[in-house]
């Protein structure tokens, strides 16, 4: 099992704990959960948000450095809509005087975490290639284990020792990202 950094581990464990708490507090034992448990749940929600914002910042930093290439599909647009739209919606509801309720507000950090984790992306730095091209975890390949890179007009296929081939389709990348990926991965062609 890969060791996760704390900014990923805390949101993972905290999200499961919050979902269980909300189910217990609002479905199984409504009105019977002590106030200190709600205080603890809000603290966990804050920790989840801190971890998620940290991960979002690191992804943005990698993008600005030219080593992160987000895939142009629904996962990218849902993430962008969430990052921009959710705070605007919360401001709108508070200005209107609407009350979302604590169960909904507690689960917002969980939603942010799920959306961020499902971003399809390729990260290519000086040490490794990490590709998240599906709903499973990302595939990480050290650059020295890349055996071959086959580039055609519409796809890049990366073969590595002990890993199944990674296929990157041109249709899922912005043109400048595609060109950068082709240029960087061409060094590993046979």
């Amino acid at each position: 099992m890969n060791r996760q950094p704390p900014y990923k581990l805390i949101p993972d464990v905290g999200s499961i704990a919050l979902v269980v708490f909300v189910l217990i507090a609002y479905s199984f034992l409504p009105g019977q959960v002590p106030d200190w448990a709600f205080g603890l749940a809000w603290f966990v929600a804050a920790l989840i948000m801190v971890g998620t914002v940290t991960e979002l910042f690191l992804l943005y930093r990698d993008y600005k450095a030219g080593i992160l290439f987000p895939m142009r599909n629904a996962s990218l647009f849902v993430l962008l809509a969430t990052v921009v739209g959710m705070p605007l919606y919360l401001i709108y509801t508070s200005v209107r005087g609407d009350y979302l309720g604590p169960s909904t507000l507690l689960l917002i950090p969980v939603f942010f975490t799920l959306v961020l984790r499902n971003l399809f992306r390729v990260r290519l730095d000086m040490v490794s290639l990490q590709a998240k091209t599906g709903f499973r975890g990302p595939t990480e390949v050290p650059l020295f284990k890349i055996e071959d890179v086959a580039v055609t007009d519409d796809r890049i296929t990366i073969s590595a020792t002990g890993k199944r081939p990674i296929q990157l389709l041109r249709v899922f990348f912005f043109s400048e990202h595609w060109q950068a990926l082709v240029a960087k991965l061409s060094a590993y062609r046979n």
Side-chain angles (χ1 to χ4, degrees), residues 32-176:
Q32 298 176 23
V33 177
D35 289 339
W36 65 265
F38 281 97
L40 183 60
W42 285 106
F43 179 73
V44 170
L47 286 177
I48 292 170
M49 254 343 254
V50 167
T52 303
V53 168
T54 300
E55 186 174 359
L56 187 62
F57 169 75
L58 292 174
L59 288 174
Y60 178 74
R61 184 193 67 185
D62 288 349
Y63 177 77
K64 290 305 257 181
I67 61 174
L68 180 76
F69 306 96
M71 294 178 73
R72 186 182 60 188
N73 61 7
S75 70
L76 174 64
F77 298 116
V78 169
L79 175 63
L80 293 175
T82 301
V83 168
V84 173
M86 189 65 73
L88 291 176
Y89 178 71
L90 292 173
I91 292 168
Y92 172 75
T93 57
S94 66
V95 168
R96 277 196 62 204
D98 293 340
Y99 185 64
L100 295 177
S103 62
T104 303
L105 292 174
L106 279 172
L107 293 177
I108 288 174
V110 174
F111 180 73
F112 268 107
T113 299
L114 290 173
V115 168
L116 184 60
R117 292 293 158 75
N118 285 312
L119 176 65
F120 292 12
R121 62 192 177 271
V122 173
R123 185 177 188 278
L124 179 61
D125 60 16
M126 301 293 271
V127 178
S128 68
L129 167 76
Q130 186 182 61
K132 179 162 175 44
T133 58
F135 291 107
R136 294 183 306 258
T139 302
E140 188 161 5
V141 177
L143 295 181
F144 66 86
K145 286 193 173 187
I146 293 178
E147 295 173 346
D148 188 28
V149 175
V151 178
T152 64
D153 287 341
D154 65 339
R155 78 180 60 221
I156 300 172
T157 304
I158 303 150
S159 302
T161 307
K163 302 278 185 180
R164 61 185 178 85
I166 298 170
Q167 300 232 347
L168 306 175
L169 302 177
R170 182 181 194 153
V171 70
F172 291 118
F173 291 93
F174 295 103
S175 63
E176 62 271 7

